[in-house]
Amino acid sequence: DKIKGEMYFCFAEHDRVPRSWFTDIPAMLDKHGVKNRLEVYPDARHACCFPERQVYDAYVAERSWGHVFNLFHDQLQH
């Protein structure tokens, strides 16, 4: 309830977090009026956004990093 900024979460379908997070995190943030976006990329694996990893997925990396950088731009220019 103290979060003032917008939150973005990106998970791989085969990630190392409890699957309940995919619904619990947005529900908790929505409850407190925190603007948020959570994406789960089908068939992706944990750490797929880093090119030095064997599970690298260029599509997921470009899309998710694009959201991160856009969020930083939008939130930090004020």
Side-chain angles (χ1 to χ4, degrees):
D1 64 344
K2 293 182 172 109
I3 297 172
K4 302 297 181 206
E6 184 176 345
M7 305 291 293
Y8 171 71
F9 300 89
C10 169
F11 292 106
E13 179 181 17
H14 306 286
D15 217 318
R16 295 179 180 169
V17 299
R19 293 191 66 83
S20 62
W21 284 17
F22 300 167
T23 54
D24 292 350
I25 289 173
M28 178 181 56
L29 294 171
D30 289 345
K31 176 182 171 184
H32 294 288
V34 177
K35 188 173 179 184
N36 68 88
R37 177 179 187 165
L38 185 142
E39 295 182 309
V40 178
Y41 289 96
D43 299 322
R45 301 216 166 271
H46 177 78
C48 64
C49 291
F50 302 98
E52 58 276 350
R53 303 290 179 102
Q54 290 181 350
V55 295
Y56 179 67
D57 183 315
Y59 171 78
V60 174
E62 290 297 318
R63 185 171 166 88
S64 60
W65 282 118
H67 289 309
V68 169
F69 293 131
N70 287 336
L71 178 64
F72 285 172
H73 178 266
D74 293 345
Q75 296 297 306
L76 298 176
Q77 70 179 354
H78 300 280

